[in-house]
């Protein structure tokens, strides 16, 4: 890589890692495995070390990650909660050991323990009582989740025995055991709620629940692994934990004090295998210098203690045979290839299927039927195939060639430019697409039709009762109640659920139609810009592209949707059935005509309203919001940090600059 390539790569990694960080810590929904995340972070750190001139104080490499949630009070940690330096390499464990030895220049013990894969917690005890439980947050301050933590039975609220310090802190990991996690996901699946990707996300998601009763019902567990404070009973970390156990804390018994590197590696090797039998998820081993005095001597870097390191296990991987590849057709017609495998045990569950994502991935793996393949569980629930053991490929085996025609309806698949997936475009006659669209239409965030679910949709489709979403409104209770599985009562429920959906506002109807790329947020924007379905149907590509945040891809898709006669027909039937095809007028009604004929440019950062709100205010008072300054601009609504080039242009053209307070006065005065 050249200098400029490296700088580009740094920027790219920062951007991606920020996003992954957000997915992981804020949304609790990682899209890549921890290992991939760590690898990217490592690459970034290496590149940043080579380019100190490209330092950025907000780089993802300088922070510990944040799980701050606005609804909890934030508390500053008495002692910062740092991260642990971590590695996948035994050579780096050796380096750690040698560094400690050299710095201390005296005998030392290392405490080897499991790295539990949950969410960390800081517990403060005063006079033997739990007074506060705080999440790690950004390391400096975290969320006060005391009420929730109090529901976790293995965390003592009042300590036993005596001899504990007047005030001290315990740190540990809150976990959701495997069996609880699997049960929870089974229930969520039944209720059609999104599944948790792994026990870690389930634990941290639960801990952030606004309702501590929910927390209580989720059966979380906790292991405490570190004691902090001024007057602790012992100088040894391990010894303090033994003491803590007597006071009622749950301490892991998988901990061992050792002196040599060999003993460390023996511990690692043993537990890399044995951990598969533990009831909770683990992702590595933590090594800690045992003496607290020695820990203080070694100190901290900005991010982590110098006296500890985490050795992470390779993601668990299994080798099994590829039996065949099948193809699923989604609601949008996207084709997902699925590997059907000889059942194999992996991280506590039996794996039979793995996602192959798309044709490119199949080609790059050079998959053949009968191949022995490596399966891994990353951050996702569905395992993936990461490699092929070429040495054991059966002679004359058949290469996996991506299908050319839809497995459900037989029509020819297409692949759009810039997209990895293949699509079946036979929207109106391909069964999984029809059923998928109906399922989307009735779902909670769309028309929210109670009483109906994927199974009933499937049944009605099989029975010939529905072929499209408009058919729902022609259903009669009698049609339904004669079906074997449904009684009169549920038939009535379904009919009244469908009837109630007539009240769903226009923007959600728009989302429910399932126009490709028109998700919830886009639907809202579209509904605002085109307050009736007729206005939208009449819009040109140009009209659409001029709406904020609607790009060519979305615009094109909307045009295509309305170009299809079948879709227009369905809309007409839905309109006749009484669905809302127009926005509630109060949402767009004019407030005044104070800005009539004015064209206004918005620039800078505001404090009293968001940019979007100002835009709306301008329009509702009869003005027009335009993007760039010209002679025709009436004035500029300027916040802080208005761009210098805009400022210059405004001055050159002598255009008035108005701040937000003056603007608000202007539209509010009688
Ligand atoms: P990382 O999040 O990869 O930086 O690893 C640090 C985290 O490992 C800590 O914040 C703890 O939540 C977690 N952890 C799990 N088990 C242990 C343990 N035995 N000792 C210290 N930290 C642990
Ligand atoms: Zn098809």
């Amino acid at each position: 890589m050249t200098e400029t390539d490296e700088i580009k790569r740094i920027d790219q990694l920062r951007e991606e890692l920020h996003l992954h960080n957000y997915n992981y810590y804020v949304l609790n929904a990682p899209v890549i495995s921890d290992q991939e995340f760590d690898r990217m972070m490592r690459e970034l750190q290496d590149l940043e070390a080579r380019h100190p001139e490209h330092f950025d104080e907000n780089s993802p490499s300088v922070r510990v990650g944040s799980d701050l949630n606005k609804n909890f009070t934030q508390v500053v940690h008495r002692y910062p909660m740092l991260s642990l330096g971590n590695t996948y390499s035994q050579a780096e464990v050796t380096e750690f050991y040698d560094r400690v030895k050299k710095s201390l220049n005296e005998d030392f013990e290392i405490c080897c323990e499991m790295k539990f894969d949950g969410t960390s917690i800081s517990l403060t005890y005063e006079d033997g009582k739990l007074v506060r439980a705080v999440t790690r947050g950004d390391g400096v301050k975290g969320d006060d989740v005391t009420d929730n933590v109090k529901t976790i039975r293995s965390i003592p609220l009042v300590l036993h025995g005596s001899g504990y310090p007047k005030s001290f802190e315990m740190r540990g990991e809150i976990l959701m055991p495997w069996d609880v996690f699997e049960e929870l996901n089974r229930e969520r699946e039944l209720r059609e709620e999104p599944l948790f990707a792994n026990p870690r996300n389930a634990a941290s998601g639960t801990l952030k629940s606004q309702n501590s009763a929910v927390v209580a019902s989720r059966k979380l567990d906790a292991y405490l692994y570190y004691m902090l404070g001024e007057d602790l009973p012992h100088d040894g970390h391990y010894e303090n934990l033994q003491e803590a156990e007597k006071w009622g804390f749950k301490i892991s018994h998988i901990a061992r004090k050792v002196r040599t590197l060999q003993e460390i590696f023996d511990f690692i090797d043993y537990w890399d295998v044995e951990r598969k039998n533990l009831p909770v998820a683990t992702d590595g081993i933590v090594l800690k210098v045992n003496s607290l005095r020695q820990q203080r001597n070694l100190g901290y870097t900005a991010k982590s203690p110098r006296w500890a390191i985490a050795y992470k296990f390779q993601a668990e991987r299994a080798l099994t045979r590829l039996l065949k590849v099948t193809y699923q057709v989604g609601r949008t017609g996207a084709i997902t290839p699925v590997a059907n495998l000889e059942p194999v045990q992996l991280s506590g569950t039996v794996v039979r299927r793995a996602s192959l994502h798309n044709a490119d991935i199949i080609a790059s793996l050079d998959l053949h039927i009968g191949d022995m393949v490596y399966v891994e569980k990353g951050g996702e629930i569905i395992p993936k195939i990461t490699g092929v053991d070429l040495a054991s490929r059966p002679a004359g085996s058949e290469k996996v060639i991506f299908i050319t025609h839809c497995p459900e309806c037989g029509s020819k698949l297409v692949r759009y430019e810039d997209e990895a997936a293949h699509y079946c475009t036979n929207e109106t006659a391909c069964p999984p697409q029809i059923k998928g669209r109906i399922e989307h239409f009735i779902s909670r965030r769309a028309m929210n039709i109670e009483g109906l679910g994927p199974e009933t949709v499937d049944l009605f489709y099989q029975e010939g009762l529905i072929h499209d979403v408009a058919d729902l409104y022609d259903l009669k209770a009698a049609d339904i109640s004669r079906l074997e599985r449904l009684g009169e009562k549920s038939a009535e429920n379904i009919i009244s659920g469908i009837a109630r959906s007539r009240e769903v506002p226009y923007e959600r109807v728009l989302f429910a139609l399932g126009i490709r790329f028109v998700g919830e947020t886009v639907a809202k924007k579209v509904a605002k810009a085109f307050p009736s379905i007729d206005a939208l149907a009449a819009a040109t590509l140009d009209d659409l592209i001029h709406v904020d945040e609607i790009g060519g891809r979305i615009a094109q898709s909307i045009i295509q949707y309305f170009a299809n006669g079948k879709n227009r027909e369905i809309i007409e039937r839905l309109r006749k059935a009484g669905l809302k095809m127009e926005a509630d007028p109060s949402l767009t009604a004019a407030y005044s005509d104070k800005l009539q004929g004015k064209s206004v440019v918005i620039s800078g950062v505001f404090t009293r309203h968001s940019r979007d709100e100002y835009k709306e205010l301008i329009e509702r008072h009869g003005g027009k919001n335009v993007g760039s300054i010209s002679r025709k601009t009436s004035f500029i609504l300027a916040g802080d940090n208005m761009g210098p080039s805009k400022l210059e242009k405004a001055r050159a053209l002598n255009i008035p600059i108005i701040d937000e307070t003056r603007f608000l006065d202007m539209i509010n005065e009688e």
Side-chain angles (χ1 to χ4, degrees):
M1 270 204 272
T2 66
E3 287 274 314
T4 37
D5 283 347
E6 289 194 344
I7 300 288
K8 260 201 216 139
R9 180 73 185 143
I10 290 180
D11 290 336
Q12 185 192 3
L13 284 165
R14 281 177 182 165
E15 195 175 304
E16 287 183 26
L17 283 165
H18 274 308
L19 187 64
H20 289 309
N21 206 67
Y22 173 77
N23 288 337
Y24 184 111
Y25 283 100
V26 181
L27 299 183
N28 277 318
V31 295
I32 58 170
S33 70
D34 288 5
Q35 209 165 337
E36 273 169 273
F37 184 95
D38 291 345
R39 191 198 53 69
M40 285 166 71
M41 182 62 85
R42 186 65 72 98
E43 185 185 349
L44 175 61
Q45 286 170 320
D46 288 345
L47 285 171
E48 285 181 340
R50 292 160 53 110
H51 293 281
E53 81 288 357
H54 205 58
F55 173 77
D56 171 7
E57 60 177 352
N58 289 323
S59 166
S61 62
V62 299
R63 69 169 178 191
V64 194
S66 175
D67 61 359
L68 294 183
N69 181 315
K70 286 201 186 64
N71 302 301
F72 292 98
T73 318
Q74 283 170 21
V75 178
V76 175
H77 292 295
R78 179 141 166 235
Y79 310 95
M81 280 181 95
L82 300 175
S83 189
L84 283 174
N86 65 56
T87 177
Y88 289 94
S89 120
Q90 297 213 351
E92 288 188 11
V93 171
T94 307
E95 278 170 29
F96 164 78
Y97 184 89
D98 291 343
R99 224 172 23 243
V100 167
K101 187 166 165 179
K102 196 159 158 232
S103 315
L104 287 178
N105 201 19
E106 62 178 349
D107 276 355
F108 62 95
E109 286 178 312
I110 296 281
C111 182
C112 307
E113 36 196 274
M114 285 321 282
K115 185 170 188 301
F116 294 103
D117 198 12
T119 181
S120 45
I121 193 76
S122 147
L123 306 175
T124 301
Y125 285 83
E126 271 161 23
D127 297 317
K129 293 202 176 76
L130 173 65
V131 293
R132 204 162 38 251
V134 183
T135 66
R136 179 156 88 176
D138 61 7
V140 175
K141 54 188 184 321
D143 287 331
D144 184 330
V145 289
T146 313
D147 291 341
N148 284 347
V149 163
K150 284 186 172 168
T151 69
I152 302 173
R153 319 242 158 159
S154 48
I155 292 181
L157 304 182
V158 179
L159 301 184
H160 315 191
S162 60
Y164 40 77
K166 194 165 163 44
S167 166
F168 70 106
E169 188 177 330
M170 285 299 279
R171 295 221 175 134
E173 199 80 353
I174 292 186
L175 302 155
M176 182 174 285
W178 281 115
D179 55 347
V180 178
F181 166 71
E182 273 157 22
E183 174 67 29
L184 176 63
N185 264 353
R186 258 197 303 279
E187 284 168 12
R188 289 176 76 87
E189 202 167 358
L190 284 179
R191 281 184 267 126
E192 291 176 40
E193 291 168 357
L195 303 188
F196 284 114
N198 50 46
R200 180 195 345 107
N201 292 324
S204 61
T206 301
L207 196 61
K208 294 299 194 58
S209 169
Q210 303 297 308
N211 179 347
S212 56
V214 170
V215 187
S217 73
R218 294 268 179 90
K219 301 185 204 133
L220 295 175
D221 201 353
Y223 281 116
L224 285 312
Y225 52 62
Y226 198 61
M227 190 191 294
L228 291 96
E230 312 294 292
D231 37 17
L232 304 184
H234 302 282
D235 174 59
H237 149 71
Y238 178 87
E239 289 72 17
N240 280 331
L241 290 189
Q242 301 307 307
E243 210 67 48
E245 188 168 29
K246 294 182 200 149
W247 304 333
F249 289 103
K250 182 159 176 175
I251 307 296
S252 167
H253 291 158
I254 309 172
R256 205 169 144 195
K257 282 194 299 173
V258 304
R259 291 183 178 275
T260 68
L261 257 178
Q262 189 53 52
E263 288 169 298
I264 291 175
F265 289 132
D266 288 346
F267 186 90
I268 288 178
D269 291 341
Y270 180 79
W271 284 105
D272 195 359
V273 179
E274 259 327 288
R275 73 190 182 101
K276 288 162 201 161
N277 301 318
L278 295 176
V280 294
T282 56
D283 63 340
I285 297 290
V286 183
L287 305 172
K288 297 174 183 163
V289 170
N290 193 50
S291 153
L292 300 183
R293 177 184 59 81
Q294 290 177 336
Q295 290 183 2
R296 282 190 294 274
N297 273 341
L298 290 162
Y300 297 83
T301 70
K303 281 177 39 187
S304 52
R306 289 204 178 83
W307 47 264
I309 191 170
Y311 171 83
K312 291 218 186 176
F313 298 123
Q314 291 295 321
E316 238 193 288
R317 184 164 98 139
L319 192 61
T320 188
R321 195 173 299 283
L322 174 68
L323 301 176
K324 63 174 179 185
V325 175
T326 52
Y327 298 84
Q328 285 175 349
V329 186
R331 159 171 81 83
T332 58
I335 310 286
T336 311
V338 179
N340 294 235
L341 307 166
E342 218 160 70
V344 64
Q345 191 79 25
L346 180 65
S347 320
T349 52
V350 178
V351 172
R352 294 188 169 79
R353 291 146 64 81
S355 169
L356 285 165
H357 302 288
N358 58 53
D360 293 344
I361 295 204
I362 295 182
S364 71
L365 287 166
D366 183 31
L367 273 189
H368 285 55
I369 300 297
D371 271 347
M372 293 302 288
V373 294
Y374 291 102
V375 196
E376 258 180 44
K377 265 194 190 168
E380 311 82 26
I381 312 163
I382 305 171
K384 58 183 175 200
I385 293 189
T386 54
V388 176
D389 179 20
L390 290 176
S392 55
R393 171 166 293 167
S397 67
E398 176 196 337
K399 192 176 159 87
V400 177
I401 306 282
F402 202 88
I403 48 169
T404 54
H405 290 78
C406 176
E408 301 278 347
C409 73
S411 54
K412 197 163 159 47
L413 300 181
V414 301
R415 194 170 181 177
Y416 304 108
E417 222 175 299
D418 299 333
E419 271 199 72
H422 281 75
Y423 286 89
C424 165
T425 56
N426 185 14
E427 287 171 23
T428 42
C430 183
Q433 295 191 57
I434 296 172
K435 283 188 276 182
R437 269 198 307 274
I438 300 175
E439 281 166 21
H440 168 75
F441 184 84
I442 62 172
S443 65
R444 205 163 45 84
R445 312 182 90 122
M447 303 304 285
N448 191 21
I449 300 182
E450 280 165 45
L452 276 183
E455 279 168 26
T456 27
V457 167
D458 192 49
L459 179 67
F460 290 0
Y461 180 76
Q462 300 291 337
E463 295 287 332
L465 289 176
I466 51 174
H467 311 89
D468 56 47
V469 297
D471 287 343
L472 288 169
Y473 296 89
D474 297 335
L475 282 175
K476 307 262 176 311
D479 298 335
I480 304 175
S481 58
R482 73 174 165 76
L483 298 181
E484 244 170 65
R485 274 188 268 155
L486 296 162
E488 233 161 80
K489 182 106 184 78
S490 52
E492 266 160 32
N493 276 343
I494 292 172
I495 297 293
S496 64
I498 292 173
R500 273 198 303 277
S501 74
R502 293 189 167 95
E503 297 310 312
V504 167
Y506 166 62
E507 67 204 43
R508 269 171 56 199
V509 173
L510 213 49
F511 167 60
L513 291 177
I515 304 172
R516 210 155 151 242
F517 306 130
V518 179
E520 260 179 303
T521 327
V522 172
K524 277 194 194 133
K525 302 247 169 204
V526 172
K528 208 167 222 176
F530 304 94
S532 75
I533 199 97
D534 295 328
L536 182 60
T540 64
L541 193 64
D542 211 43
D543 295 339
L544 287 162
I545 290 175
H546 276 93
V547 178
D548 239 10
E549 284 171 61
I550 295 188
R553 204 173 62 141
I554 300 173
Q556 193 66 54
S557 160
I558 294 175
I559 295 285
Q560 262 173 27
Y561 180 86
F562 287 102
N564 185 331
K566 289 235 167 78
N567 290 333
R568 279 176 179 264
E569 212 175 280
I570 285 176
I571 288 173
E572 279 324 303
R573 288 173 58 208
L574 291 176
R575 190 201 304 268
K576 285 215 182 75
L579 268 64
K580 294 211 186 306
M581 293 294 171
E582 276 174 27
D584 186 337
S586 71
L587 289 179
T588 46
Y591 294 149
S592 82
D593 55 4
K594 284 181 187 144
L595 299 177
Q596 194 63 49
K598 297 255 187 321
S599 119
V600 185
V601 171
I602 303 180
S603 178
V605 186
F606 299 90
T607 50
R608 297 179 58 183
H609 289 278
S610 72
R611 248 181 128 87
D612 276 349
E613 285 165 359
Y614 277 121
K615 193 169 167 231
E616 186 171 346
L617 281 173
I618 292 170
E619 282 161 5
R620 293 231 210 169
H621 286 281
K624 205 170 152 209
N625 170 233
V626 292
S628 56
I629 302 174
S630 71
R631 268 174 215 294
K632 287 187 224 138
T633 307
S634 315
F635 64 85
I636 293 164
L637 169 55
D640 288 340
N641 297 325
M642 181 175 162
S645 63
K646 271 197 178 156
L647 199 58
E648 204 174 303
K649 194 155 179 199
R651 290 209 175 115
L653 296 175
N654 227 338
I655 290 168
I657 296 178
I658 290 181
D659 68 16
E660 54 184 328
T661 316
R662 261 183 70 204
F663 174 78
L664 291 170
D665 286 347
M666 189 165 142
I667 56 175
N668 288 328
E669 74 197 10
E670 283 314 307

